[in-house]
Amino acid sequence: MSALMHTYNRLALALSHGEGAWVYDLDGNRYLDALGGIAVCALGHAHPAVSRAICEQAGKLIHTSNIYRIPLQDQLGEALCSHARMDSAFICNSGAEANEAAIKLARLYGNKRGISNPAIVVMEGSFHGRTMATLSATGNRKIQAGFEPLVQGFIRAPYNNSAALQQIAENSRNVVAVLLEPVQGEGGIIVPDEGYLAAVREICDKNGWLMMVDEIQSGMGRTGQWFAWMHEDAHPDVLTSAKALGNGFPVGACLARGDAAEILSPGTHGSTFGGNPLACAAATTVIRTMDEDKLVARAGELGERILNRLRAELADLDGVADIRGRGLMIGVELEHDCAQLMQAGVDAGILLNVTAGKVIRLLPPYILSDEEADLLSEKVCALVTGFLKSVHSAA
Ligand SMILES: *Cc1c(COP(=O)(O)O)cnc(C)c1O
Protein backbone atom coordinates (compact mmCIF):
# COMPACT_ATOMS: atom_id res chain seq x y z
CA MET A 1 0.00 0.00 0.00
CA SER A 2 2.65 2.48 1.02
CA ALA A 3 4.37 2.16 -2.35
CA LEU A 4 1.32 3.63 -4.07
CA MET A 5 0.74 7.33 -4.59
CA HIS A 6 -1.99 8.43 -2.24
CA THR A 7 -4.54 9.27 -4.95
CA TYR A 8 -7.39 7.41 -3.21
CA ASN A 9 -8.70 7.22 0.34
CA ARG A 10 -9.61 3.58 0.13
CA LEU A 11 -11.96 1.57 2.30
CA ALA A 12 -10.21 -1.33 4.04
CA LEU A 13 -12.23 -3.93 2.11
CA ALA A 14 -10.20 -6.10 -0.31
CA LEU A 15 -12.06 -8.40 -2.68
CA SER A 16 -10.90 -11.73 -3.98
CA HIS A 17 -13.51 -12.84 -6.53
CA GLY A 18 -17.02 -12.28 -7.78
CA GLU A 19 -19.93 -13.99 -9.44
CA GLY A 20 -22.88 -12.18 -10.99
CA ALA A 21 -23.99 -9.37 -8.70
CA TRP A 22 -21.93 -10.64 -5.76
CA VAL A 23 -18.32 -10.11 -4.69
CA TYR A 24 -16.41 -11.94 -1.96
CA ASP A 25 -13.72 -10.63 0.35
CA LEU A 26 -10.56 -12.44 1.42
CA ASP A 27 -12.41 -13.96 4.41
CA GLY A 28 -15.25 -15.30 2.28
CA ASN A 29 -17.87 -12.69 3.28
CA ARG A 30 -20.11 -11.72 0.40
CA TYR A 31 -21.41 -8.33 -0.70
CA LEU A 32 -24.20 -7.37 -3.07
CA ASP A 33 -22.55 -5.10 -5.64
CA ALA A 34 -24.80 -2.08 -6.18
CA LEU A 35 -21.93 -0.07 -7.68
CA GLY A 36 -20.50 -2.46 -10.29
CA GLY A 37 -17.01 -0.99 -10.16
CA ILE A 38 -18.58 2.47 -10.84
CA ALA A 39 -20.95 1.65 -13.71
CA VAL A 40 -18.47 -0.77 -15.28
CA CYS A 41 -19.53 -4.36 -14.55
CA ALA A 42 -22.95 -4.17 -16.18
CA LEU A 43 -22.97 -7.91 -16.86
CA GLY A 44 -21.87 -8.65 -13.31
CA HIS A 45 -18.63 -10.29 -12.28
CA ALA A 46 -16.95 -13.23 -13.99
CA HIS A 47 -19.51 -13.27 -16.78
CA PRO A 48 -18.82 -16.59 -18.55
CA ALA A 49 -19.07 -15.26 -22.13
CA VAL A 50 -16.82 -12.25 -21.43
CA SER A 51 -14.28 -14.26 -19.46
CA ARG A 52 -14.16 -16.88 -22.21
CA ALA A 53 -13.72 -14.27 -24.96
CA ILE A 54 -10.85 -12.64 -23.04
CA CYS A 55 -9.11 -15.95 -22.30
CA GLU A 56 -9.46 -17.24 -25.86
CA GLN A 57 -8.24 -14.00 -27.41
CA ALA A 58 -5.36 -13.73 -24.94
CA GLY A 59 -4.23 -17.17 -26.10
CA LYS A 60 -4.24 -16.02 -29.73
CA LEU A 61 -3.16 -12.40 -30.02
CA ILE A 62 -3.25 -9.55 -27.52
CA HIS A 63 -1.69 -6.64 -29.35
CA THR A 64 -0.40 -5.75 -32.79
CA SER A 65 -0.45 -1.87 -32.86
CA ASN A 66 -2.58 0.16 -35.23
CA ILE A 67 0.06 -0.05 -37.94
CA TYR A 68 -1.80 -3.16 -39.13
CA ARG A 69 -5.44 -3.93 -39.83
CA ILE A 70 -7.28 -5.25 -36.79
CA PRO A 71 -10.39 -7.15 -37.89
CA LEU A 72 -11.74 -7.31 -34.33
CA GLN A 73 -11.50 -3.49 -34.15
CA ASP A 74 -13.48 -3.20 -37.42
CA GLN A 75 -16.07 -5.49 -35.90
CA LEU A 76 -16.29 -3.45 -32.68
CA GLY A 77 -16.52 -0.19 -34.64
CA GLU A 78 -19.43 -1.58 -36.65
CA ALA A 79 -21.24 -2.91 -33.59
CA LEU A 80 -20.82 0.39 -31.74
CA CYS A 81 -21.87 2.54 -34.68
CA SER A 82 -24.97 0.48 -35.40
CA HIS A 83 -26.06 0.51 -31.74
CA ALA A 84 -25.28 4.21 -31.20
CA ARG A 85 -26.49 5.32 -34.66
CA MET A 86 -23.09 6.78 -35.52
CA ASP A 87 -20.87 6.49 -38.61
CA SER A 88 -17.30 6.08 -37.38
CA ALA A 89 -15.39 5.11 -34.26
CA PHE A 90 -12.03 5.79 -32.64
CA ILE A 91 -11.22 3.08 -30.11
CA CYS A 92 -9.16 3.95 -27.02
CA ASN A 93 -8.61 2.68 -23.50
CA SER A 94 -10.60 4.84 -21.09
CA GLY A 95 -13.27 7.46 -20.69
CA ALA A 96 -10.90 10.38 -20.38
CA GLU A 97 -9.18 9.31 -23.60
CA ALA A 98 -12.53 9.07 -25.39
CA ASN A 99 -13.32 12.64 -24.31
CA GLU A 100 -9.84 13.83 -25.31
CA ALA A 101 -10.57 12.51 -28.80
CA ALA A 102 -13.93 14.33 -28.83
CA ILE A 103 -12.32 17.60 -27.70
CA LYS A 104 -9.58 17.32 -30.34
CA LEU A 105 -12.19 16.47 -32.97
CA ALA A 106 -14.25 19.57 -32.06
CA ARG A 107 -11.20 21.84 -32.21
CA LEU A 108 -10.14 20.48 -35.59
CA TYR A 109 -13.72 20.85 -36.83
CA GLY A 110 -13.64 24.51 -35.76
CA ASN A 111 -10.23 25.21 -37.20
CA LYS A 112 -11.24 23.67 -40.53
CA ARG A 113 -14.16 26.12 -40.57
CA GLY A 114 -11.84 29.07 -40.03
CA ILE A 115 -12.48 29.49 -36.29
CA SER A 116 -8.97 29.93 -34.95
CA ASN A 117 -9.82 29.91 -31.23
CA PRO A 118 -12.62 27.35 -31.04
CA ALA A 119 -14.53 27.04 -27.76
CA ILE A 120 -16.58 24.15 -26.40
CA VAL A 121 -19.54 24.80 -24.10
CA VAL A 122 -19.40 22.56 -21.02
CA MET A 123 -21.72 22.25 -18.03
CA GLU A 124 -21.69 23.09 -14.35
CA GLY A 125 -21.58 19.93 -12.26
CA SER A 126 -20.15 17.85 -15.09
CA PHE A 127 -17.42 15.23 -14.94
CA HIS A 128 -15.34 14.33 -17.98
CA GLY A 129 -12.12 12.82 -16.60
CA ARG A 130 -8.75 13.52 -15.00
CA THR A 131 -6.46 14.41 -17.90
CA MET A 132 -5.64 18.11 -18.35
CA ALA A 133 -8.21 18.79 -21.07
CA THR A 134 -10.94 16.69 -19.49
CA LEU A 135 -10.45 18.13 -16.00
CA SER A 136 -10.58 21.59 -17.56
CA ALA A 137 -13.91 20.61 -19.15
CA THR A 138 -15.16 19.23 -15.82
CA GLY A 139 -17.51 21.49 -13.84
CA ASN A 140 -16.07 20.82 -10.40
CA ARG A 141 -13.47 23.14 -8.88
CA LYS A 142 -12.19 20.44 -6.52
CA ILE A 143 -10.99 18.42 -9.50
CA GLN A 144 -9.23 21.41 -11.06
CA ALA A 145 -7.70 23.06 -8.00
CA GLY A 146 -3.91 23.12 -8.07
CA PHE A 147 -3.61 22.13 -11.72
CA GLU A 148 -3.74 25.62 -13.20
CA PRO A 149 -3.13 26.78 -15.84
CA LEU A 150 -6.17 24.91 -17.13
CA VAL A 151 -6.67 24.14 -20.79
CA GLN A 152 -8.35 27.11 -22.47
CA GLY A 153 -11.30 27.03 -24.80
CA PHE A 154 -14.17 25.97 -22.55
CA ILE A 155 -17.23 28.09 -21.79
CA ARG A 156 -19.25 27.07 -18.73
CA ALA A 157 -23.05 26.91 -18.82
CA PRO A 158 -25.62 25.84 -16.21
CA TYR A 159 -26.90 22.30 -16.83
CA ASN A 160 -30.52 21.69 -17.74
CA ASN A 161 -30.96 25.29 -18.89
CA SER A 162 -31.43 25.71 -22.62
CA ALA A 163 -32.12 29.46 -22.28
CA ALA A 164 -28.59 29.96 -20.93
CA LEU A 165 -27.20 28.02 -23.88
CA GLN A 166 -29.22 30.18 -26.25
CA GLN A 167 -27.72 33.24 -24.54
CA ILE A 168 -24.20 31.92 -25.22
CA ALA A 169 -25.16 31.36 -28.87
CA GLU A 170 -26.15 35.02 -29.11
CA ASN A 171 -23.02 36.35 -27.41
CA SER A 172 -20.17 34.12 -28.62
CA ARG A 173 -18.78 33.80 -32.12
CA ASN A 174 -16.21 31.08 -31.56
CA VAL A 175 -18.27 28.19 -30.13
CA VAL A 176 -17.90 24.96 -32.12
CA ALA A 177 -19.47 22.35 -29.87
CA VAL A 178 -21.41 21.53 -26.71
CA LEU A 179 -20.20 18.68 -24.52
CA LEU A 180 -22.63 17.31 -21.94
CA GLU A 181 -23.72 14.22 -20.05
CA PRO A 182 -27.33 13.23 -20.91
CA VAL A 183 -27.61 12.27 -17.22
CA GLN A 184 -24.93 13.69 -14.94
CA GLY A 185 -23.22 10.92 -12.97
CA GLU A 186 -20.52 12.18 -10.58
CA GLY A 187 -22.50 15.41 -10.28
CA GLY A 188 -25.17 13.52 -8.34
CA ILE A 189 -27.34 11.58 -10.83
CA ILE A 190 -28.94 14.69 -12.32
CA VAL A 191 -31.65 13.81 -14.84
CA PRO A 192 -32.45 16.85 -17.00
CA ASP A 193 -36.04 17.92 -17.67
CA GLU A 194 -37.84 16.37 -20.61
CA GLY A 195 -37.15 18.42 -23.72
CA TYR A 196 -33.73 19.69 -22.62
CA LEU A 197 -31.63 17.40 -24.82
CA ALA A 198 -33.88 18.09 -27.80
CA ALA A 199 -33.51 21.84 -27.14
CA VAL A 200 -29.71 21.47 -27.04
CA ARG A 201 -29.87 19.61 -30.35
CA GLU A 202 -31.90 22.42 -31.88
CA ILE A 203 -29.51 25.13 -30.67
CA CYS A 204 -26.56 23.14 -32.06
CA ASP A 205 -28.32 22.79 -35.43
CA LYS A 206 -29.10 26.50 -35.65
CA ASN A 207 -25.54 27.53 -34.85
CA GLY A 208 -23.53 24.85 -36.65
CA TRP A 209 -22.23 23.44 -33.37
CA LEU A 210 -21.44 19.80 -32.75
CA MET A 211 -23.59 18.19 -30.07
CA MET A 212 -21.24 15.90 -28.16
CA VAL A 213 -22.62 13.59 -25.47
CA ASP A 214 -20.46 12.01 -22.80
CA GLU A 215 -22.19 8.66 -22.35
CA ILE A 216 -19.31 7.08 -20.48
CA GLN A 217 -21.53 6.48 -17.44
CA SER A 218 -25.05 6.78 -18.90
CA GLY A 219 -24.47 4.69 -22.03
CA MET A 220 -24.22 1.00 -22.89
CA GLY A 221 -27.78 0.35 -21.84
CA ARG A 222 -27.67 1.62 -18.28
CA THR A 223 -30.68 3.94 -18.53
CA GLY A 224 -32.88 1.44 -20.37
CA GLN A 225 -31.87 2.67 -23.84
CA TRP A 226 -28.59 1.80 -25.52
CA PHE A 227 -27.57 5.43 -25.04
CA ALA A 228 -29.35 7.98 -22.87
CA TRP A 229 -29.80 10.54 -25.67
CA MET A 230 -32.26 8.08 -27.21
CA HIS A 231 -34.86 8.91 -24.56
CA GLU A 232 -35.39 12.17 -26.48
CA ASP A 233 -34.07 11.20 -29.90
CA ALA A 234 -31.65 14.12 -29.62
CA HIS A 235 -29.26 12.48 -32.11
CA PRO A 236 -25.76 13.79 -31.25
CA ASP A 237 -22.84 14.34 -33.65
CA VAL A 238 -20.25 12.88 -31.30
CA LEU A 239 -20.65 10.32 -28.50
CA THR A 240 -18.11 8.98 -26.04
CA SER A 241 -18.30 5.60 -24.33
CA ALA A 242 -16.16 3.59 -21.90
CA LYS A 243 -16.98 2.17 -18.42
CA ALA A 244 -19.47 -0.70 -19.17
CA LEU A 245 -18.16 -1.12 -22.71
CA GLY A 246 -15.62 -3.77 -21.64
CA ASN A 247 -17.40 -4.95 -18.46
CA GLY A 248 -14.13 -4.26 -16.64
CA PHE A 249 -11.63 -4.69 -19.45
CA PRO A 250 -10.30 -1.15 -20.14
CA VAL A 251 -11.70 0.13 -23.42
CA GLY A 252 -13.28 3.38 -24.59
CA ALA A 253 -14.59 4.85 -27.82
CA CYS A 254 -15.27 8.18 -29.46
CA LEU A 255 -18.00 7.87 -32.09
CA ALA A 256 -19.08 10.45 -34.64
CA ARG A 257 -21.54 10.83 -37.49
CA GLY A 258 -22.02 12.98 -40.57
CA ASP A 259 -19.37 15.65 -41.14
CA ALA A 260 -17.91 15.00 -37.69
CA ALA A 261 -17.15 11.39 -38.67
CA GLU A 262 -14.64 12.61 -41.28
CA ILE A 263 -12.66 15.08 -39.17
CA LEU A 264 -9.86 12.99 -37.70
CA SER A 265 -7.39 11.75 -40.30
CA PRO A 266 -4.01 9.98 -40.31
CA GLY A 267 -1.54 11.83 -38.11
CA THR A 268 -4.15 13.79 -36.14
CA HIS A 269 -4.80 11.25 -33.41
CA GLY A 270 -3.74 7.81 -32.27
CA SER A 271 -3.11 5.35 -29.47
CA THR A 272 -0.61 2.53 -29.07
CA PHE A 273 -2.93 0.25 -27.10
CA GLY A 274 -6.26 1.59 -28.39
CA GLY A 275 -8.41 -0.98 -30.14
CA ASN A 276 -6.11 -3.92 -29.58
CA PRO A 277 -7.57 -7.36 -30.37
CA LEU A 278 -8.02 -8.29 -26.70
CA ALA A 279 -10.00 -5.16 -25.76
CA CYS A 280 -12.10 -5.46 -28.92
CA ALA A 281 -12.88 -9.14 -28.25
CA ALA A 282 -14.08 -8.19 -24.77
CA ALA A 283 -16.20 -5.24 -25.93
CA THR A 284 -17.85 -7.01 -28.89
CA THR A 285 -18.79 -9.84 -26.53
CA VAL A 286 -20.32 -7.37 -24.09
CA ILE A 287 -22.46 -5.81 -26.84
CA ARG A 288 -23.50 -9.21 -28.20
CA THR A 289 -24.43 -10.47 -24.71
CA MET A 290 -26.52 -7.39 -23.97
CA ASP A 291 -28.38 -7.95 -27.26
CA GLU A 292 -28.89 -11.69 -26.86
CA ASP A 293 -30.08 -11.45 -23.26
CA LYS A 294 -32.17 -8.27 -23.86
CA LEU A 295 -30.38 -6.63 -20.97
CA VAL A 296 -30.96 -3.02 -22.02
CA ALA A 297 -34.72 -3.31 -21.61
CA ARG A 298 -34.07 -5.28 -18.43
CA ALA A 299 -31.96 -2.42 -17.03
CA GLY A 300 -34.93 -0.11 -17.56
CA GLU A 301 -37.33 -2.51 -15.80
CA LEU A 302 -34.98 -3.12 -12.89
CA GLY A 303 -34.45 0.59 -12.49
CA GLU A 304 -38.17 1.20 -12.19
CA ARG A 305 -38.56 -1.63 -9.73
CA ILE A 306 -35.78 -0.30 -7.49
CA LEU A 307 -36.84 3.35 -7.78
CA ASN A 308 -40.45 2.48 -6.90
CA ARG A 309 -39.33 0.57 -3.81
CA LEU A 310 -37.00 3.33 -2.68
CA ARG A 311 -39.65 5.98 -3.21
CA ALA A 312 -42.31 3.99 -1.39
CA GLU A 313 -40.13 3.50 1.68
CA LEU A 314 -37.96 6.62 1.79
CA ALA A 315 -39.63 9.53 0.00
CA ASP A 316 -41.56 10.75 3.04
CA LEU A 317 -38.71 10.47 5.52
CA ASP A 318 -37.39 13.61 7.17
CA GLY A 319 -33.82 14.01 5.83
CA VAL A 320 -34.43 12.55 2.35
CA ALA A 321 -34.21 15.37 -0.19
CA ASP A 322 -34.88 13.50 -3.45
CA ILE A 323 -34.95 10.08 -5.05
CA ARG A 324 -34.28 10.08 -8.77
CA GLY A 325 -32.79 8.16 -11.62
CA ARG A 326 -33.13 6.70 -15.06
CA GLY A 327 -32.84 2.94 -15.42
CA LEU A 328 -29.99 1.65 -13.29
CA MET A 329 -28.50 5.09 -12.67
CA ILE A 330 -30.11 5.88 -9.34
CA GLY A 331 -29.47 8.61 -6.76
CA VAL A 332 -30.89 9.07 -3.27
CA GLU A 333 -30.12 12.59 -2.14
CA LEU A 334 -30.08 13.20 1.60
CA GLU A 335 -30.01 16.51 3.43
CA HIS A 336 -26.77 15.58 5.19
CA ASP A 337 -23.26 14.61 4.08
CA CYS A 338 -23.30 10.85 4.09
CA ALA A 339 -19.94 9.60 2.78
CA GLN A 340 -19.83 7.32 5.84
CA LEU A 341 -22.55 5.21 4.20
CA MET A 342 -19.94 3.60 1.96
CA GLN A 343 -18.33 1.87 4.96
CA ALA A 344 -21.73 1.33 6.59
CA GLY A 345 -22.75 -0.41 3.37
CA VAL A 346 -19.73 -2.69 3.51
CA ASP A 347 -20.66 -3.56 7.10
CA ALA A 348 -24.19 -4.35 5.91
CA GLY A 349 -23.02 -6.45 2.94
CA ILE A 350 -23.67 -4.01 0.10
CA LEU A 351 -21.30 -1.97 -2.08
CA LEU A 352 -22.56 1.49 -2.95
CA ASN A 353 -21.13 4.93 -3.52
CA VAL A 354 -21.74 8.46 -2.30
CA THR A 355 -21.14 11.29 -4.77
CA ALA A 356 -21.51 15.06 -4.55
CA GLY A 357 -21.40 14.71 -0.74
CA LYS A 358 -25.03 13.87 -0.14
CA VAL A 359 -26.11 11.56 -2.95
CA ILE A 360 -26.12 7.79 -2.54
CA ARG A 361 -25.31 6.50 -6.00
CA LEU A 362 -26.46 3.09 -7.20
CA LEU A 363 -25.09 1.69 -10.48
CA PRO A 364 -25.78 -2.05 -10.18
CA PRO A 365 -25.36 -4.69 -12.89
CA TYR A 366 -28.23 -5.42 -15.31
CA ILE A 367 -28.16 -9.14 -14.55
CA LEU A 368 -29.84 -8.74 -11.13
CA SER A 369 -32.73 -11.13 -10.46
CA ASP A 370 -35.96 -9.59 -9.14
CA GLU A 371 -35.07 -11.00 -5.70
CA GLU A 372 -31.60 -9.42 -5.82
CA ALA A 373 -33.10 -6.09 -6.88
CA ASP A 374 -35.51 -6.24 -3.92
CA LEU A 375 -32.70 -7.19 -1.55
CA LEU A 376 -30.68 -4.24 -2.86
CA SER A 377 -33.61 -1.89 -2.22
CA GLU A 378 -34.14 -3.31 1.28
CA LYS A 379 -30.50 -2.89 2.19
CA VAL A 380 -30.39 0.69 0.94
CA CYS A 381 -33.61 1.55 2.80
CA ALA A 382 -32.26 0.04 6.03
CA LEU A 383 -28.99 1.97 5.67
CA VAL A 384 -30.71 5.28 5.00
CA THR A 385 -33.21 4.80 7.83
CA GLY A 386 -30.45 3.90 10.28
CA PHE A 387 -28.28 6.80 9.15
CA LEU A 388 -31.06 9.36 9.48
CA LYS A 389 -32.00 8.03 12.91
CA SER A 390 -28.42 8.50 14.12
CA VAL A 391 -28.20 12.00 12.58
CA HIS A 392 -31.48 13.10 14.12
CA SER A 393 -30.73 11.68 17.55
CA ALA A 394 -27.35 13.44 17.55
CA ALA A 395 -28.98 16.79 16.70
C1 LIG B 1 -15.96 7.94 -15.41
C2 LIG B 1 -16.29 9.04 -16.33
C3 LIG B 1 -15.30 9.63 -17.15
C4 LIG B 1 -13.84 9.26 -17.06
O1 LIG B 1 -13.61 7.93 -17.42
P1 LIG B 1 -12.18 7.27 -17.06
O2 LIG B 1 -12.27 5.90 -17.69
O3 LIG B 1 -12.10 7.22 -15.56
O4 LIG B 1 -11.14 8.11 -17.65
C5 LIG B 1 -15.69 10.63 -18.03
N1 LIG B 1 -16.96 11.03 -18.11
C6 LIG B 1 -17.95 10.48 -17.36
C7 LIG B 1 -19.36 10.95 -17.52
C8 LIG B 1 -17.64 9.49 -16.43
O5 LIG B 1 -18.60 8.98 -15.66
Side-chain angles (χ1 to χ4, degrees):
M1 284 293 258
S2 56
L4 300 177
M5 289 192 190
H6 192 195
T7 51
Y8 290 95
N9 281 320
R10 298 170 197 269
L11 300 180
L13 178 67
L15 298 164
S16 83
H17 63 285
E19 190 183 356
W22 296 88
V23 285
Y24 297 79
D25 69 16
L26 303 173
D27 300 321
N29 302 305
R30 72 173 195 165
Y31 305 83
L32 183 57
D33 191 354
L35 183 60
I38 319 184
V40 168
C41 304
L43 302 179
H45 298 279
H47 190 282
V50 179
S51 299
R52 194 179 327 115
I54 291 171
C55 291
E56 281 178 7
Q57 190 57 43
K60 277 190 216 160
L61 189 64
I62 293 177
H63 175 86
T64 59
S65 90
N66 284 295
I67 290 173
Y68 310 100
R69 277 190 52 231
I70 303 176
L72 280 162
Q73 193 182 117
D74 292 329
Q75 209 180 312
L76 175 59
E78 272 168 36
L80 272 170
C81 286
S82 70
H83 285 79
R85 293 172 53 198
M86 292 281 144
D87 296 328
S88 69
F90 176 81
I91 312 295
C92 55
N93 312 287
S94 69
E97 278 179 71
N99 284 337
E100 285 279 345
I103 292 164
K104 283 181 67 177
L105 188 159
R107 285 189 168 194
L108 202 53
Y109 171 86
N111 276 299
K112 284 186 172 173
R113 279 171 164 61
I115 299 172
S116 57
N117 60 337
I120 299 171
V121 179
V122 289
M123 300 298 154
E124 289 170 6
S126 64
F127 180 78
H128 298 298
R130 298 285 197 161
T131 61
M132 277 311 305
T134 60
L135 78 83
S136 301
T138 291
N140 179 345
R141 274 302 299 158
K142 275 193 210 155
I143 283 172
Q144 299 172 337
F147 299 107
E148 296 82 1
L150 300 180
V151 173
Q152 299 291 296
F154 296 105
I155 297 176
R156 189 76 50 198
Y159 189 62
N160 195 21
N161 184 338
S162 55
L165 198 59
Q166 181 56 38
Q167 198 78 47
I168 291 172
E170 282 157 27
N171 295 331
S172 311
R173 291 279 146 262
N174 59 334
V175 173
V176 295
V178 178
L179 172 64
L180 80 168
E181 296 156 88
V183 178
Q184 288 190 336
E186 306 297 312
I189 312 292
I190 312 294
V191 184
D193 296 337
E194 207 177 319
Y196 173 65
L197 296 176
V200 172
R201 177 68 270 179
E202 200 180 318
I203 293 170
C204 287
D205 283 338
K206 279 201 182 126
N207 294 281
W209 300 350
L210 298 177
M211 179 173 177
M212 310 203 294
V213 293
D214 178 343
E215 294 251 20
I216 289 162
Q217 193 162 148
S218 60
M220 290 302 293
R222 179 155 298 278
T223 67
Q225 292 278 356
W226 266 98
F227 292 93
W229 67 263
M230 294 172 174
H231 290 283
E232 285 192 23
D233 207 25
H235 204 171
D237 302 289
V238 176
L239 179 153
T240 54
S241 179
K243 289 204 164 93
L245 179 54
N247 206 53
F249 196 92
V251 54
C254 174
L255 313 177
R257 76 176 171 105
D259 290 349
E262 317 277 331
I263 297 294
L264 295 176
S265 57
T268 58
H269 200 46
S271 166
T272 298
F273 292 140
N276 65 73
L278 186 55
C280 294
T284 46
T285 304
V286 168
I287 294 171
R288 187 177 341 109
T289 303
M290 286 185 182
D291 272 335
E292 285 173 0
D293 298 349
K294 302 191 165 49
L295 289 174
V296 176
R298 177 68 180 156
E301 272 171 33
L302 281 164
E304 254 178 65
R305 186 182 183 102
I306 294 171
L307 260 184
N308 286 341
R309 273 274 185 125
L310 297 177
R311 286 196 173 121
E313 291 202 32
L314 298 177
D316 296 334
L317 290 190
D318 194 20
V320 175
D322 193 22
I323 302 168
R324 55 183 176 252
R326 190 159 247 178
L328 288 175
M329 232 178 141
I330 296 172
V332 178
E333 180 169 349
L334 304 184
E335 283 162 7
H336 312 273
D337 282 332
C338 59
Q340 69 199 74
L341 281 176
M342 289 189 273
Q343 180 60 49
V346 170
D347 298 337
I350 181 169
L351 305 189
L352 47 74
N353 177 247
V354 174
T355 190
K358 298 175 182 174
V359 183
I360 301 166
R361 179 168 56 157
L362 307 172
L363 301 161
Y366 319 166
I367 47 80
L368 291 175
S369 65
D370 288 350
E371 293 70 32
E372 286 167 336
D374 293 344
L375 180 63
L376 185 158
S377 306
E378 274 167 39
K379 281 180 182 281
V380 171
C381 289
L383 275 169
V384 170
T385 313
F387 172 75
L388 291 175
K389 220 173 258 170
S390 73
V391 170
H392 292 148
S393 68

